[in-house]
Amino acid sequence: MVVYGVALLAFCMLVGVFLGDLLGKLIGVDANVGGIGIAMLLLIIIANKRTPFFEINAITKSGVNFWSAMYIPIVVAMAAKQNVFAALSGGWMAVTAGVLVVIISFLMIPLLYRLNNRE
Amino acid sequence: MLKEAIFSALSNNSIITAFLFVGVVTALSYWISNHMTNGKIHGSAIAITIGLFLAYIGGYVSEGDKGLADISIFTGVGILGGAMFRDFAIVATAFGVDLKHLKNAGMIGAISIIFGVILSFIIGAIVALMFGYDDAVSITTIGAGAATYIVGPVTGTALSASSEVIALSVAVGLIKSILVMIMTPFIAPYIKLDNAESAMIFGGLMGTTSGVAGGLAATDPELVPYGAMTATFYTGVGCLLAPSILFLIVNTLIN
């Protein structure tokens, strides 16, 4: 059933967020540390499991795939709720810092990529 | 009377209104993409840009902090585009992930997160210095804001920075996030952002979940889970490093 896929997704997210909060508390940080990343790993592991008792069938999959397909529309809504006005009211310092950080970080991507791929 | 009925139908069903809103923006964006740019600029990139533009107008009109979502008929946009649904959809994208790719890029992904936090922090701190901030607390807070708009206020609060500096650190993080959303699809071909490994490095270096989520959506949706995976660890690492080690280093260098 479709709802099994949605419920599986919800289960993974809640477990991930819980573990991320716990991890944050353990290292003494007031933030969730990688909760969504952990949830993703959990979903990947469960999706790749094949046992006689447990198998994700096509209809269950469609429950997950629907939310995966809703990703871009959700990102559009996310863009529409950003505090763009405040960002641009931060003045030249905020703009300078933001622009420099983004450009320099972009330039570092091929560098790190090469670092990982040299013989 | 008609106006009131429309208004109440839209605002009483806010999430449904948000579905319609996003659908209309997307349709318009793909139309613009096909007819005005010959498909050169991806429809999602245009949709995200329109979203950001409407967010600016929303913020200007309502003087709130949630962009378009502060206008009452669009409150649903704030829910649909909030962290809860965003993260739910991000987790869903992981369904198609290849474990092999993750293992291959795991180490460089982890390195890029730490490198990304420190790099962003240093750049933010230098800009703060250039603009005349000379106390360690303000420099650290603004540097932390250059990591993400969450690391900034968390650090500023921990170090008791002034509210003006905290607001500034949020602004720096927001600018970063918006720029990553808009620029990524255009820069992707030049930095070989076309495979799982570079997407993980990208997520780790940029760190802003919204920026990475938006940027990759408009570049290649298949890369989303890889970038998001590293980006979701970034804010936590930033909140760990900025108010502690990085603050101590700045403090020593200043005095």
Side-chain angles (χ1 to χ4, degrees):
Chain A
M1 283 206 274
V2 173
V3 71
Y4 294 162
V6 182
L8 171 67
L9 200 53
F11 171 78
C12 291
M13 174 157 157
L14 293 174
V15 171
V17 170
F18 165 73
L19 291 175
D21 273 336
L22 212 61
L23 194 58
K25 292 222 163 60
L26 278 176
I27 56 177
V29 175
D30 187 20
N32 188 293
V33 182
I36 297 306
I38 298 169
M40 293 166 88
L41 282 175
L42 190 62
L43 181 69
I44 296 166
I45 292 166
I46 293 176
N48 286 300
K49 269 257 179 307
R50 296 267 179 279
T51 69
F53 312 101
F54 175 84
E55 203 192 351
I56 297 176
N57 64 30
I59 300 172
T60 305
K61 265 185 196 156
S62 69
V64 180
N65 286 335
F66 171 77
W67 284 102
S68 180
M70 280 302 284
Y71 172 76
I72 290 176
I74 285 173
V75 165
V76 173
M78 176 194 83
K81 70 150 281 192
Q82 297 296 310
N83 198 355
V84 182
F85 190 71
L88 296 181
S89 319
W92 283 110
M93 205 217 76
V95 174
T96 312
V99 169
L100 283 179
V101 163
V102 173
I103 290 175
I104 296 172
S105 302
F106 270 134
L107 294 177
M108 289 296 151
I109 295 171
L111 226 73
L112 282 180
Y113 184 77
R114 239 171 285 154
L115 187 78
N116 199 40
N117 285 285
R118 63 166 182 218
E119 261 74 7
Chain B
M1 199 177 81
L2 190 66
K3 204 175 149 193
E4 275 163 28
I6 294 173
F7 186 81
S8 76
L10 293 179
S11 54
N12 288 338
N13 301 288
S14 61
I15 298 185
I16 310 300
T17 306
F19 286 140
L20 179 63
F21 164 80
V22 170
V24 170
V25 169
T26 306
L28 177 70
S29 304
Y30 276 83
W31 188 88
I32 293 174
S33 167
N34 287 330
H35 292 85
M36 292 166 79
T37 75
N38 257 330
K40 277 204 189 88
I41 300 176
H42 201 283
S44 334
I46 296 172
I48 289 165
T49 310
I50 292 177
L52 290 169
F53 176 71
L54 293 174
Y56 178 84
I57 294 177
Y60 178 77
V61 171
S62 71
E63 293 176 3
D65 59 2
K66 290 196 288 289
L68 191 66
D70 279 317
I71 294 172
S72 60
I73 57 167
F74 292 119
T75 46
V77 172
I79 301 167
L80 187 64
M84 184 170 67
F85 278 120
R86 183 199 65 194
D87 291 347
F88 196 57
I90 287 178
V91 176
T93 63
F95 207 49
V97 158
D98 192 336
L99 261 182
K100 250 197 334 231
H101 289 318
L102 276 186
K103 280 183 192 149
N104 290 343
M107 195 59 203
I108 192 73
I111 292 171
S112 65
I113 295 169
I114 295 171
F115 182 69
V117 169
I118 295 173
L119 179 71
S120 296
F121 182 87
I122 292 174
I123 297 167
I126 289 175
V127 172
L129 266 172
M130 273 164 39
F131 276 81
Y133 289 89
D134 53 6
D135 63 297
V137 169
S138 302
I139 292 170
T140 306
T141 305
I142 294 167
T148 72
Y149 58 76
I150 296 171
V151 182
V154 166
T155 303
T157 311
L159 301 174
S160 342
S162 72
S163 63
E164 176 223 332
V165 167
I166 291 179
L168 207 51
S169 79
V170 174
V172 174
L174 283 171
I175 295 269
K176 178 183 183 183
S177 153
I178 293 164
L179 284 176
V180 174
M181 278 187 230
I182 298 177
M183 287 170 63
T184 305
F186 299 100
I187 293 187
Y190 303 104
I191 53 171
K192 296 204 169 53
L193 183 55
D194 57 6
N195 60 74
E197 192 181 331
S198 56
M200 282 182 80
I201 296 171
F202 167 74
L205 278 178
M206 296 303 178
T208 143
T209 311
S210 340
V212 167
L216 286 179
T219 308
D220 177 0
E222 278 191 17
L223 299 179
V224 167
Y226 302 102
M229 178 76 78
T230 42
T232 61
F233 283 91
Y234 184 99
T235 289
V237 172
C239 292
L240 178 67
L241 296 180
S244 55
I245 307 169
L246 294 174
F247 171 66
L248 290 177
I249 294 172
V250 171
N251 203 23
T252 318
L253 290 177
I254 291 290
N255 297 317

